[in-house]
Amino acid sequence: MSDRSFLQWPFFDEVHRDLADQVDAWATKELADLDHSNVDETCKFLVKALGDAGWLKLSAVDPTDQGSKIDVRSLCIMRETLARHDGLADFAFAMQGLGTGCISLFGSEAQKTEWLTKTRAGEALSAFALSEPASGSDVANMAMTAVRDGDDYVLNGEKTWISNGGIADVYCVFARTGEAPGAKGLSVFIVPADTPGLEIAERLEVVAPHPLARLAFKDCRIPASAMIGNPGEGFRIAMSVLDVFRSTVAAAALGFARRALDESLSRVSDRELFGAPMSDLQMVQGHIADMALDVDAAALLVYRAAWLKDQGAPRVSREAAMAKLYATDHAQDVIDKAVQLHGGDGVRKGHIVESLYREIRALRIYEGASDVQKVVIARQTLANSKGV
């Protein structure tokens, strides 16, 4: 059983401890032996299952309650727990939150009612369309355009590496509206998947199968009412959404790392080498110590960032960046040690440790690559030192 002592840390309220117990029990029952042979259909199944169980209510604000807020600690507990059980289940949950994050935080009441009612129930899949072929981390360099034409906007350009691309029912799409150069000239729009002019240009395959696609927009016409917020606010909206959800990426990495540690503890306790359990070997004990240290350090950073956001901090860019950088990079280290401790089994296709090894790598890239997180941390630390 995974270590759960962290739930007694002062970052959590009783509601979070209850959530951890309930979602772990649900995942143990519902996610065992999940069929991953058809990733698209499995993601659709998972979204419906998560919706039916009520877990997706945590992914976005309640459109019927104007005071509703996203609880980041709950998001992190959900992602950590789901990732520990099944990477695709974590993905399915996460995208319902990230995909509608713009609507949750900045959408009009009409936009929230139309879409969040569906995504929170698992009746519609959502996607966050920010990255482009030439502007992944460099969001301000975005080339896709949205030109005003009467009561409409006309979208032209491409998006790529879009999670849920090809199966989403709705996309939150960022485009250049030109109010000012660079980051100040971007806006964001709600684009239903069946909008004429939106095409799935390419499905993308990666080492850990997830639904990903390149999207093409060719004279894609949408009403001006599809804009979220005001013209030119797209960059601010994108950064605000990432400020909330970046900590949850770190939580997913933490879940992967916990599972790798759990599997390794079982391995070294049950397997004998040279007439004694592997766990008696000092070198093995050294690996276990490093893994346990990395897991706890990551958890402290993850739940500090989540707690700060839930306490009302306007921005937690530095703390979220630290959490994502440390948790994802060190989860990679933890899982690599788990592979080593499992020997040949660790690289056998279908083994849980081999699966974790493939799952973790993308987390060090998406929602801000590790190198970008270092830039965020350094800039914010320098600004803080000057009292800015």
Side-chain angles (χ1 to χ4, degrees), residues 12 30 73 113 131 153 155 160 166 183 191 211 217 257 280 288 294 306 313 316 334 344 352 365-366 375 384:
F12 304 104
E30 302 294 335
R73 286 169 292 176
T113 299
S131 295
Y153 277 91
L155 307 181
T160 193
V191 184
F217 297 81
D280 284 358
I288 295 297
D294 284 342
V316 291
V334 170
I352 181 59
I365 298 173
Y366 73 68
V375 173
N384 291 348

Side-chain angles (χ1 to χ4, degrees), residues 6-148:
F6 74 99
L7 291 168
Q8 301 307 313
W9 293 349
F11 295 124
F12 304 104
D13 299 326
E14 199 60 36
V15 66
H16 300 112
R17 298 183 184 97
D18 290 342
L19 172 64
D21 290 339
Q22 292 165 13
V23 71
D24 186 61
W26 180 86
T28 299
K29 179 181 178 182
E30 302 294 335
L31 301 181
D33 302 318
L34 189 65
D35 182 7
H36 286 197
S37 59
N38 186 323
V39 172
D40 286 1
E41 293 305 314
T42 301
C43 278
K44 294 175 184 177
F45 166 82
L46 284 165
V47 168
K48 185 178 186 306
L50 288 162
D52 289 346
W55 301 127
L56 292 179
K57 291 179 180 178
L58 300 170
S59 69
V61 300
D62 182 351
T64 66
D65 179 2
Q66 292 189 6
S68 174
K69 295 181 180 180
I70 295 174
D71 187 271
V72 185
R73 286 169 292 176
S74 293
L75 289 179
C76 288
I77 287 171
M78 286 293 303
R79 290 204 65 180
E80 179 186 338
T81 306
L82 291 173
R84 182 160 49 81
H85 284 273
D86 186 274
L88 204 57
D90 163 65
F91 172 91
F93 174 82
M95 286 315 305
Q96 292 300 94
L98 179 64
T100 59
C102 300
I103 303 173
S104 279
L105 299 180
F106 296 95
S108 66
E109 294 307 310
Q111 290 169 340
K112 291 177 182 178
T113 299
E114 179 178 6
W115 288 109
L116 300 186
T117 302
K118 298 174 185 176
T119 60
R120 292 171 85 245
E123 296 171 357
L125 280 73
S126 64
F128 183 77
L130 181 66
S131 295
E132 297 184 1
S135 62
S137 298
D138 185 9
V139 176
N141 192 39
M142 188 177 297
M144 182 169 167
T145 60
V147 178
R148 185 70 184 253

